[in-house]
């Protein structure tokens, strides 16, 4: 009997016990949200990056070529001498080379766009632009914005509040900090001024705290898979400090991207910038910063930048070392919209599909903290979905005004 064909990376069927999945999302439907990201957001990002640095003519030509490729061309291979060419072949590059960017899995084409953008600006090359984050000016502006100072000043008043109230405030700060997404704003100019929804579409906050009770004698490890830098990473670090201080975690491992990705995704350098912002701030923020700096020095706060963090694949395809790490953790907290898509699978699930079923494969307890900025959603009640559709049509899925906390213990 012939072997069963292996599906392309990123499209494999979830393990037994999970719901029957709908097809992987592509970007080929004109007028759809994924199509708009590929056709509008990516060109806008190329223009933004071009204007942010005094790049030389060679870089400008490379950016022009990438723009033409994205809109009218096909997926092209990495340069023959690329340090990660073999890894990308394992991640499906040979399968998708020669096909339109719009006709391959959306998650894959988005990720590969950022990898090619780094090539275009010489990030991995031998020239003067090697290692220069093309998104650094935008991330830095986030940290220097008055809004960041205002948010940190609120920590002074929070210091005297009851412990349960502080915990909830810091958890929700990390959750709603996910609105600080530069790539999202490029495709939605009103995202920054639009009011956040007063409530959550799903709230398993109590279940999250039940997995991490305060004052444990021997608290274990919490893995926190970060999303954006700047004004989102700061509240993520504040949440990490709270987990350590209250004995909810004995160690926090912060997972970030190994290189610049999705405009504002956090890298190790962004963690350093965020810690410096905290330690140099006035008031209670500086105390948090000092505690986190000391935690990094003694190993109770660790930073990891695994190559899979920037892979174009769902978490169902975790490599063995990460699978073992998450299996051993008391809880893995997964932040942000992209990570949510990777967690449940980048598919148009019926919104009432149980969240626990879509993440049944995950090797340990897992929680998702996410502001809704794409169409993928699971775990809602039928009443919640109907009410949102009646009030807002489909915009609630992508506008960044709604959020969720979902837990599978």
């Amino acid at each position: 009997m012939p072997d069963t064909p292996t599906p392309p990376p990123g499209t494999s069927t979830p393990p037994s016990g999970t719901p029957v999945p709908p097809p992987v999302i592509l970007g080929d439907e004109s007028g759809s949200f994924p199509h708009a990201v590929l056709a509008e957001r990516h060109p806008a990002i190329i223009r933004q990056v071009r204007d942010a640095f005094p790049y030389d003519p060679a870089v400008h030509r490379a950016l022009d070529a990438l723009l033409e490729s994205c809109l009218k061309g096909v997926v092209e291979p990495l340069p023959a001498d690329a340090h990660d060419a073999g890894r990308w072949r394992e991640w499906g590059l040979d399968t998708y080379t020669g096909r339109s960017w719009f006709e391959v899995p959306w998650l894959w084409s988005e990720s590969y766009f950022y990898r090619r953008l780094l090539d275009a600006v010489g990030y991995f090359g031998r020239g003067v632009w090697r290692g220069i984050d093309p998104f650094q000016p935008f991330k830095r502006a986030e940290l220097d914005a008055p809004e960041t100072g205002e948010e940190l000043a609120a920590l002074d008043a929070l210091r005297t509040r009851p412990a349960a109230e502080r915990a909830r405030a810091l958890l929700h700060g990390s959750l709603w900090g996910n609105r600080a997404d530069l790539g999202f704003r490029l495709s939605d100019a009103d995202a920054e001024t639009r009011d956040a929804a007063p409530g959550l579409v799903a709230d398993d906050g109590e279940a999250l705290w039940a997995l991490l009770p305060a004052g444990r004698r021997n608290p274990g490890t919490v893995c926190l898979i970060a999303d954006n830098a700047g004004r989102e990473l700061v509240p993520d670090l504040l949440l990490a400090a709270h987990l350590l201080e209250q004995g909810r975690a004995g160690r926090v491992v912060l997972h970030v991207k190994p290189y610049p990705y999705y405009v504002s995704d956090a890298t190790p350098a962004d963690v350093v910038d965020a810690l410096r912002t905290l330690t140099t701030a006035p008031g209670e923020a500086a105390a948090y910063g000092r505690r986190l700096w000391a935690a990094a020095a003694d190993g109770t706060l660790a930073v990891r930048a695994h190559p899979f963090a920037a892979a174009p694949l769902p978490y169902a395809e975790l490599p063995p070392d990460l699978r073992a790490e998450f299996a051993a953790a008391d809880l893995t907290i997964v932040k942000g919209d992209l990570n949510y898509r990777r967690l449940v699978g980048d598919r148009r699930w019926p919104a009432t599909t149980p969240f626990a079923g879509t993440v049944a494969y995950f090797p340990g307890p897992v929680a998702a903290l996410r502001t809704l900025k794409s169409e993928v959603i699971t775990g809602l009640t039928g009443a919640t979905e109907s009410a949102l559709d009646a009030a807002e049509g489909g915009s609630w899925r992508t506008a960044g005004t709604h959020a969720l906390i979902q837990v599978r213990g």
Side-chain angles (χ1 to χ4, degrees), residues 9-51:
T11 64
S12 57
T13 301
S16 173
T18 63
V20 177
V24 171
I25 295 174
L26 307 180
D28 59 349
E29 183 183 340
S30 182
S32 69
F33 184 76
H35 188 279
V37 168
L38 298 176
E40 300 170 17
R41 181 185 295 185
H42 288 179
I45 288 169
I46 291 173
R47 290 191 291 270
Q48 185 185 43
V49 167
R50 177 197 297 274
D51 294 339

Side-chain angles (χ1 to χ4, degrees), residues 29-102:
E29 183 183 340
S30 182
S32 69
F33 184 76
H35 188 279
V37 168
L38 298 176
E40 300 170 17
R41 181 185 295 185
H42 288 179
I45 288 169
I46 291 173
R47 290 191 291 270
Q48 185 185 43
V49 167
R50 177 197 297 274
D51 294 339
F53 288 91
Y55 286 126
D56 54 65
V59 172
H60 282 266
R61 288 192 296 271
L63 290 171
D64 289 342
L66 178 60
L67 178 60
E68 180 73 11
S69 172
C70 290
L71 294 178
K72 301 177 183 178
V74 297
V75 173
E76 298 175 357
L78 289 171
D81 60 350
H83 72 282
D84 53 353
R87 184 180 299 139
W88 274 93
R89 284 194 294 271
E90 293 174 2
W91 290 345
L93 180 57
D94 290 344
T95 300
Y96 301 129
T97 295
R99 295 169 61 177
S100 166
W101 291 81
F102 296 87

Side-chain angles (χ1 to χ4, degrees), residues 95-224:
T95 300
Y96 301 129
T97 295
R99 295 169 61 177
S100 166
W101 291 81
F102 296 87
E103 296 174 352
V104 303
W106 180 40
L107 175 63
W108 197 96
S109 59
E110 276 195 290
S111 295
Y112 193 57
F113 165 78
Y114 288 99
R115 177 59 184 83
R116 292 313 307 259
L117 182 62
L118 293 182
D119 267 340
V121 299
Y123 182 86
F124 294 117
R126 297 186 178 88
V128 297
W129 300 109
R130 179 179 178 86
I132 302 295
D133 183 346
F135 311 125
Q136 196 274 339
F138 320 123
K139 297 174 181 179
R140 187 68 249 176
E142 278 264 324
L143 285 176
D144 294 339
E147 292 84 357
T148 302
E150 294 166 6
E151 291 162 1
L152 292 180
L155 293 171
D156 294 341
L158 189 64
R159 177 179 50 193
T160 59
R161 306 305 301 168
E165 185 176 332
R166 292 200 309 275
R168 184 178 185 278
L170 292 169
L171 179 65
H172 281 246
S174 177
L175 170 66
W176 287 108
N178 185 231
R179 298 185 79 206
D181 181 333
L182 300 168
F184 172 62
R185 291 183 209 161
L186 283 171
S187 58
D188 186 350
D190 298 325
E192 182 69 7
T193 57
R194 191 184 297 114
D195 287 339
L200 307 183
V201 301
D203 186 1
D204 292 342
E206 292 305 314
L208 186 152
W209 292 128
L211 291 170
L212 302 174
R216 290 187 293 169
R217 184 181 298 273
N218 294 302
T221 296
V222 172
C223 294
L224 176 53

Side-chain angles (χ1 to χ4, degrees), residues 119 341 348 386:
D119 267 340
R341 291 164 54 197
R348 288 194 174 89
S386 297

Side-chain angles (χ1 to χ4, degrees), residues 212-267:
L212 302 174
R216 290 187 293 169
R217 184 181 298 273
N218 294 302
T221 296
V222 172
C223 294
L224 176 53
I225 301 178
D227 188 32
N228 296 310
R231 282 169 58 201
E232 180 178 357
L233 184 56
V234 167
D236 288 349
L237 288 168
L238 297 175
L239 177 61
H242 169 80
L243 296 177
L244 293 169
E245 183 182 23
Q246 295 298 310
R248 298 180 184 271
R251 184 169 181 258
V252 174
V253 181
L254 184 67
H255 287 255
V256 297
K257 302 301 186 296
Y259 50 72
Y261 190 64
Y262 275 74
V263 183
S264 55
D265 279 26
T267 67

